[in-house]
Amino acid sequence: MTNLKMNLKPLDQWGVTDNFPLIISGPCSAETPEQVMQTAKALVEKNPQVKVFRAGIWKPRTRPNSFEGIGIEALGWLQDVKKETGLLTSVEVANANHVYEALKHGVDILWVGARTTVNPFSVQDIADAMKGVDVPVMVKNPINPDLQLWLGAIERIHQAGITRLGAIHRGFSSGQNGRFRNAPRWRLPIELKRLLPDLPMICDPSHICGNRDMLQEVSQKALDLAMDGLMLESHPNPDEAWSDKNQQVTPDALAEILESLNLRKPEGDAIGTVDFLSLHRDEIDLIDMEILDTIARRAKVVKKIAEHKKEHKMTILQVNRWDELLKDRLAMAKKLGLDDKFSKELYQQIHLMSIRIQTAVMNAEKET
Ligand code: PEP
Ligand code: MN
């Protein structure tokens, strides 16, 4: 796909900050007026780079009966933050009513969450509610690694007339228990930036990492990839947070992270200077995790089969089945362009493992 034509204002024309990069911080969720104000005041005191305060008011939780946000009442707390600290405010909006309420209460920047970006109906409703309003909007990537879906949501909001429009990269659900809560898959935001060079790209290391330990590393990487800003969750007492407690940091810890960052201002084609190898290594890490996870899942199924064979007094090896399976898998591998010799050796190893697992099941049962 070639570059798309959109009328987008670069971040320095948003009229929200002269700072580079744009730093947005605040709690995952607004919990109490005290927690919100305490966070905001500590942010201003310890982190002069933070210009925008974030707080979730309506929380899209994975499971019901968790804390689902304070709702409209907390919009008043954000107004107080703005009045007392001068920070701009931002909230997530997930439907048209959220947009009306947030605008009515003077919220400065709206963002669309990852669980909403996946649904074009919801995004369209939100876009319709934004028609004729000049408010900055940021669109988080969808939870699945689908660039078209992300782009589609951005286009819908843009068609509503929003030109102060940005994207937030918060990583992608991978179904694996890897290093990250949400795999960064850096190549997707980079591809989006290639298609829309004027689209400000903010990285959300908190939701990528899911823990505090890697926030610095991911923040630095985002800046090295020429992203325009960071959104980092902060809380006065992260361990007691009502949502996402593992990934929030105190305003003090945030200051340490921000001070440690090496702010390289992009020159020319910054994306082209990015470490090509490290990007592709991230992709390899994810693929390897998927390979190992798949092998482990196969081993579990083999174990179930072994238990069944034992119960029905069958032999471990059924020669015909193995012969058919090998032929079938080799044909499949060939279609995928894999080398015959490699596929055969791989399958011999997989089969050996399967026999070992089954033998172990049979022997274990013999002893009991
Ligand atoms: C959030 O920013 O608190 C949030 C819910 O994030 P996401 O939409 O990325 O899951
Ligand atoms: Mn959160």
Side-chain angles (χ1 to χ4, degrees):
M1 209 192 289
T2 49
N3 285 12
L4 300 167
K5 289 265 167 300
M6 278 197 206
N7 174 19
L8 297 174
K9 286 206 176 105
L11 200 52
D12 57 6
Q13 290 172 33
W14 280 26
V16 296
T17 173
D18 296 332
N19 265 41
F20 172 84
L22 172 65
I23 310 285
I24 304 170
S25 188
C28 176
S29 303
E31 298 164 5
T32 65
E34 295 76 26
Q35 166 250 7
V36 166
M37 189 57 80
Q38 195 184 338
T39 312
K41 283 190 169 162
L43 283 174
V44 170
E45 190 188 325
K46 310 274 167 59
N47 298 270
Q49 307 97 307
V50 175
K51 296 294 173 203
V52 180
F53 187 73
R54 62 146 284 153
I57 303 292
W58 300 285
K59 297 304 297 177
R61 304 306 299 280
T62 304
R63 308 275 305 275
N65 309 324
S66 330
F67 168 62
E68 294 193 323
I70 296 289
I72 294 174
E73 187 190 350
L75 290 170
W77 308 346
L78 291 185
Q79 285 179 307
D80 294 341
V81 161
K82 189 172 174 172
K83 235 185 284 157
E84 289 215 20
T85 66
L87 286 170
L88 298 180
T89 57
S90 62
V91 295
E92 172 177 350
V93 290
N95 61 40
N97 191 47
H98 294 169
V99 176
Y100 295 132
E101 290 298 339
L103 292 174
K104 198 167 91 190
H105 288 84
V107 173
D108 298 289
I109 300 177
L110 309 181
W111 87 80
V112 177
R115 289 164 189 77
T116 306
T117 306
V118 289
N119 185 342
F121 288 118
S122 301
V123 176
Q124 193 57 54
D125 279 350
I126 290 172
D128 290 344
M130 288 172 175
K131 275 203 180 114
V133 183
D134 181 23
V135 64
V137 180
M138 301 188 295
V139 180
K140 284 201 170 192
N141 66 255
I143 44 184
N144 52 328
D146 185 336
L147 185 61
Q148 294 301 311
L149 206 49
W150 197 2
L151 192 55
I154 290 165
E155 285 174 320
R156 283 175 202 277
I157 305 285
H158 182 252
Q159 279 172 10
I162 301 293
T163 54
R164 289 186 288 169
L165 185 54
I168 302 177
H169 167 232
R170 50 79 79 195
F172 302 88
S173 186
S174 69
Q176 317 290 334
N177 296 322
R179 230 156 73 78
F180 299 103
R181 177 180 178 193
N182 291 292
R185 294 182 168 240
W186 297 100
R187 285 203 286 158
L188 277 104
I190 288 175
E191 177 60 6
L192 185 57
K193 192 83 180 161
R194 187 184 70 77
L195 294 170
L196 294 169
D198 288 338
L199 182 79
M201 179 68 69
I202 309 294
C203 182
D204 172 350
S206 305
H207 290 89
I208 290 177
C209 298
N211 65 56
R212 302 188 247 283
D213 307 338
M214 295 187 299
L215 293 175
Q216 199 278 344
E217 177 196 329
V218 170
S219 302
Q220 184 64 60
K221 179 135 185 176
L223 297 182
D224 291 347
L225 292 174
M227 294 204 180
D228 303 279
L230 300 170
M231 180 188 255
L232 287 151
E233 288 183 338
S234 54
H235 191 285
N237 193 356
D239 288 334
E240 303 295 317
W242 298 1
S243 60
D244 285 352
K245 59 177 168 187
N246 296 333
Q247 69 195 32
Q248 303 204 59
V249 288
T250 60
D252 276 323
L254 181 75
E256 264 178 49
I257 294 173
L258 295 180
E259 276 155 26
S260 77
L261 294 176
N262 188 351
L263 305 185
R264 286 185 270 265
K265 221 169 165 155
E267 299 294 344
D269 179 15
I271 300 286
T273 66
V274 156
D275 181 353
F276 176 90
L277 273 184
S278 107
L279 275 188
H280 286 76
R281 281 181 182 143
D282 281 352
E283 199 80 359
I284 291 283
D285 286 351
L286 190 64
I287 293 170
D288 281 348
M289 225 154 66
E290 284 166 0
I291 292 176
L292 293 174
D293 183 72
T294 306
I295 293 175
R297 278 195 293 125
R298 191 184 196 282
K300 274 193 197 135
V301 177
V302 166
K303 200 163 169 225
K304 274 196 199 137
I305 290 179
E307 278 153 8
H308 179 89
K309 283 181 180 170
K310 165 71 187 153
E311 206 181 310
H312 296 278
K313 303 200 175 3
M314 294 164 78
T315 55
I316 288 180
L317 182 68
Q318 273 92 46
V319 181
N320 289 348
R321 158 87 183 141
W322 166 233
D323 186 48
E324 273 166 33
L325 184 146
L326 187 63
K327 275 192 202 136
D328 177 75
R329 302 306 189 262
L330 292 184
M332 227 191 274
K334 203 180 187 101
K335 260 197 207 152
L336 291 169
L338 293 174
D339 170 73
D340 258 356
K341 183 168 175 284
F342 165 77
S343 315
K344 200 162 181 176
E345 281 171 7
L346 175 70
Y347 258 90
Q348 268 158 355
Q349 285 306 319
I350 289 178
H351 189 236
L352 258 181
M353 179 176 82
S354 166
I355 290 183
R356 255 187 241 126
I357 293 171
Q358 298 192 52
T359 309
V361 168
M362 297 282 179
N363 289 344
E365 290 189 5
K366 247 188 244 157
E367 282 157 19
T368 56

